[in-house]
Amino acid sequence: MHIHFLGICGTFMGSLALLARDLGHTVTGSDTAIYPPMSTQLQNAGVKIMEGYHAKHLKPKPDLVVVGNVCKRGMEAVEYMLNTRIAYTSGPQFLSEHVLQFRHVLAVAGTHGKTTTTTMLAWILQYAKIDTGFLIGGIPLVNTDDKRLQNTFKHSSYLGANTTADKDGYFVIEADEYDSAFFDKRSKFIHYRPTTAILNNLEYDHADIFPNLEAIQTQFHHMVRTIPSNGCIIMPNHTESLEQIIKKENWTPVWRTGIDDKTADWQAKLIQADGSVFHVEHQGKTAEVNWSMSGLHNVNNGLVAIAAAHNVGVSIETACKALSNFAGIKRRMELVATIAKNKGNVEIYDDFAHHPTAIQTTLDGAKKRFANIYNQNRPPRKIWAIIEPRSNTMKLGIHQHLLAPSAKLADHVIWYQPAHFDWSVADAIGNTTNQTVMHSIDDIICYVQNHIGDNDAVIIMSNGGFEGIHDKLVTALNKS
């Protein structure tokens, strides 16, 4: 059948559209925010994307419209869909009914690290030759000669082995707590009914739909109540916001993880301070991860992924070997350019961090990583953080008191504030040393171009396209 996706360039909707195409459907879509990497991935897959939410995009009528949660009443396409009685559903509902049925679902939930952890878990299972389907809210990076793995991870979603009522299969899903659609305000993950669930962390976010942390905990508790008693919940030890959910009501065994925490069921022991090498210990068994990733947040992500894979039969040794060959994911400390200078190389990184905790953990990992590879023959490496507070929570100013502390590990910080903000980033950061606010992409590029050192690293943080600043900065620095 012909399925049209409204909001197709969102990371979830775009990945779901690819699954619908792999199921044999004709897929088209509409969006207003059309930018890489999702737009490129869809176009390369032959999916037709139309600009805007216009009624004409639904003519002739598709058999089904999958409505993204970006869509609201009053949009021309939405009103036309309702008035002409075109069949419609939400993305999570479509996924549940057409993909997840008969599957052992491994769901990764939490405020931070969902995309990275989901990718790690899917990579481990595929590395172990378990033909697992997956949907990831990002584009995996693949650095391997294995053609099977190259083909499997060429997109952000993969259908996996066929399943029936008599033949179970596995599916790894990034389980977002954001709402499903304008007509279904439940969190997306309520639809997924996981058997294995990672609860990675939980902080207050999505202030546009949740009034407080307790409201998010309620949605998490609704999901926990759907996990079978022969399933498994995996979560970091001593995380009070998650423990409160488990204490409320839980019928499922829980594995707890921790770094250098002997009370945890699964323990990571750091060999390198930056997290690039660590040992995994569980029930007397030990194996080593030696990978290209860094930061304690990624050690935590890797540890819960290893535990989840073990829950479906992957040995600790195989899981650790898989992560040692893990290349990462686009927009998570992704090196996008290296620019040769007189006394070193300027490196440009792209990162998805858009919450104060994510900004802080990313910078902490980068600081330790660069210290670990410091070259005495080059000038000291300084870190530039260029940050767009773009998420709905950030735009509302909920975390403004945390902005300056979250970026304090960077040597130079530039906050970008577009004109439409109704609160002042400059007031929020005050007179914090080495932090400033700029209102124009051109001003940011000019300032960096004039002040950057020959061996510095620039980390650009945003959950959007950031007005193409990455390519513009690379072009400018290549000319200077």
Side-chain angles (χ1 to χ4, degrees):
M1 61 180 173
H2 174 202
I3 304 175
H4 188 87
F5 284 76
L6 291 177
I8 194 170
C9 287
T11 53
F12 170 76
M13 291 290 281
S15 300
L16 185 59
L18 293 174
L19 290 179
R21 183 209 60 171
D22 291 344
L23 286 169
H25 302 298
T26 299
V27 176
T28 58
S30 305
D31 212 319
T32 54
I34 300 174
Y35 56 82
M38 189 55 68
S39 61
T40 304
Q41 181 179 220
L42 288 165
Q43 289 162 352
N44 290 343
V47 175
K48 182 180 179 181
I49 305 173
M50 291 163 266
E51 178 78 34
Y53 297 112
H54 303 297
K56 64 183 179 181
H57 298 160
L58 301 179
K59 299 176 184 177
K61 289 183 181 181
D63 300 294
L64 179 68
V65 176
V66 179
V67 182
N69 62 6
V70 70
C71 297
K72 297 176 174 60
R73 288 300 304 266
M75 287 182 172
E76 182 182 320
V78 170
E79 296 307 310
Y80 180 80
M81 175 190 77
L82 295 173
N83 291 339
T84 56
R85 298 181 178 86
I86 302 175
Y88 65 91
T89 188
S90 71
Q93 186 69 33
F94 179 87
L95 180 66
S96 175
E97 294 176 352
H98 294 265
V99 178
L100 301 184
Q101 193 174 23
F102 309 128
R103 306 254 190 160
H104 177 129
V105 176
L106 299 95
V108 180
T111 308
H112 315 293
K114 289 188 295 294
T115 300
T116 302
T117 307
T118 305
T119 310
M120 289 177 180
L121 179 53
W123 175 263
I124 292 170
L125 295 178
Q126 285 290 346
Y127 189 94
K129 298 184 178 178
I130 299 174
D131 192 16
T132 306
F134 57 79
L135 189 154
I136 302 166
I139 313 297
L141 296 171
V142 180
N143 183 18
T144 177
D145 294 328
D146 189 315
K147 298 298 183 182
R148 181 183 63 84
L149 291 173
Q150 288 177 3
N151 186 62
T152 299
F153 287 94
K154 66 181 179 181
H155 294 141
S156 57
S157 59
Y158 173 72
L159 197 55
N162 291 329
T163 60
T164 65
D166 300 320
K167 181 184 178 183
D168 201 359
Y170 296 101
F171 197 94
V172 178
I173 176 71
E174 180 173 334
D176 190 359
E177 70 269 27
Y178 217 81
D179 60 346
S180 297
F182 73 84
F183 50 86
D184 182 356
K185 306 313 287 183
R186 294 174 296 172
S187 289
K188 291 177 183 175
F189 55 44
I190 300 299
H191 295 274
Y192 301 156
R193 300 181 182 179
T195 300
T196 303
I198 292 173
L199 310 183
N200 221 5
N201 41 63
L202 185 54
E203 291 189 75
Y204 183 47
D205 199 6
H206 303 311
D208 51 322
I209 61 171
F210 293 114
N212 48 46
L213 176 61
E214 290 73 22
I216 306 176
Q217 287 177 307
T218 297
Q219 293 295 319
F220 269 72
H221 182 247
H222 290 333
M223 180 183 69
V224 165
R225 293 177 69 183
T226 69
I227 304 172
S229 57
N230 63 355
C232 184
I233 294 173
I234 300 158
M235 57 187 246
N237 207 10
H238 309 304
T239 306
E240 184 57 29
S241 57
L242 294 176
E243 292 291 351
Q244 289 170 354
I245 296 168
I246 298 302
K247 290 175 183 176
K248 188 174 182 180
E249 182 184 18
N250 175 48
W251 296 88
T252 308
V254 179
W255 286 347
R256 290 172 174 82
T257 63
I259 297 177
D260 294 325
D261 180 358
K262 293 182 179 179
T263 67
D265 301 299
W266 290 79
Q267 182 183 182
K269 300 190 72 172
L270 297 180
I271 306 302
Q272 294 289 341
D274 67 348
S276 60
V277 184
F278 63 94
H279 287 170
V280 174
E281 296 184 0
H282 175 66
Q283 294 182 344
K285 295 183 178 180
T286 302
E288 182 177 280
V289 175
N290 187 338
W291 60 352
S292 61
M293 309 291 284
S294 63
L296 298 185
H297 59 303
N298 278 321
V299 176
N300 279 313
N301 294 339
L303 186 57
V304 293
I306 290 169
H310 187 71
N311 182 241
V312 295
V314 179
S315 70
I316 298 172
E317 294 77 11
T318 298
C320 288
K321 186 176 180 181
L323 286 190
S324 296
N325 289 276
F326 179 69
I329 187 168
K330 283 184 177 293
R331 307 213 63 200
R332 272 66 178 180
M333 273 300 288
E334 179 190 2
L335 178 63
V336 295
T338 301
I339 302 162
K341 294 295 181 182
N342 292 329
K343 298 179 181 179
N345 295 323
V346 170
E347 293 180 344
I348 311 296
Y349 291 86
D350 183 19
D351 196 84
F352 197 72
H354 57 278
H355 183 286
T357 299
I359 293 169
Q360 183 176 355
T361 55
T362 297
L363 291 174
D364 178 68
K367 196 90 171 177
K368 290 173 180 174
R369 173 181 178 178
F370 295 144
N372 198 35
I373 59 174
Y374 175 63
N375 188 331
Q376 294 286 348
N377 297 322
R378 293 180 177 179
R381 166 156 288 185
K382 294 186 177 181
I383 296 176
W384 291 69
I386 303 176
I387 309 170
E388 180 186 27
R390 180 183 175 274
S391 72
N392 289 326
T393 304
M394 282 287 209
K395 288 177 182 177
L396 290 170
I398 302 299
H399 296 309
Q400 57 182 284
H401 63 290
L402 298 173
L403 297 190
S406 73
K408 67 181 180 181
L409 290 176
D411 299 285
H412 304 280
V413 181
I414 300 174
W415 295 94
Y416 174 56
Q417 178 170 354
H420 61 265
F421 269 39
D422 58 6
W423 58 279
S424 170
V425 178
D427 289 345
I429 66 170
N431 296 319
T432 307
T433 304
N434 293 335
Q435 297 196 27
T436 189
V437 179
M438 295 188 181
H439 304 275
S440 144
I441 299 298
D442 290 340
D443 288 347
I444 294 174
I445 291 172
C446 182
Y447 184 85
V448 175
Q449 192 175 15
N450 291 330
H451 293 87
I452 197 165
D454 281 359
N455 198 41
D456 290 356
V458 180
I459 305 174
I460 299 171
M461 300 182 183
S462 172
N463 68 340
F466 208 157
E467 299 182 26
I469 190 174
H470 310 77
D471 291 341
K472 293 175 183 177
L473 181 59
V474 171
T475 300
L477 292 178
N478 273 320
K479 291 179 180 179
S480 61

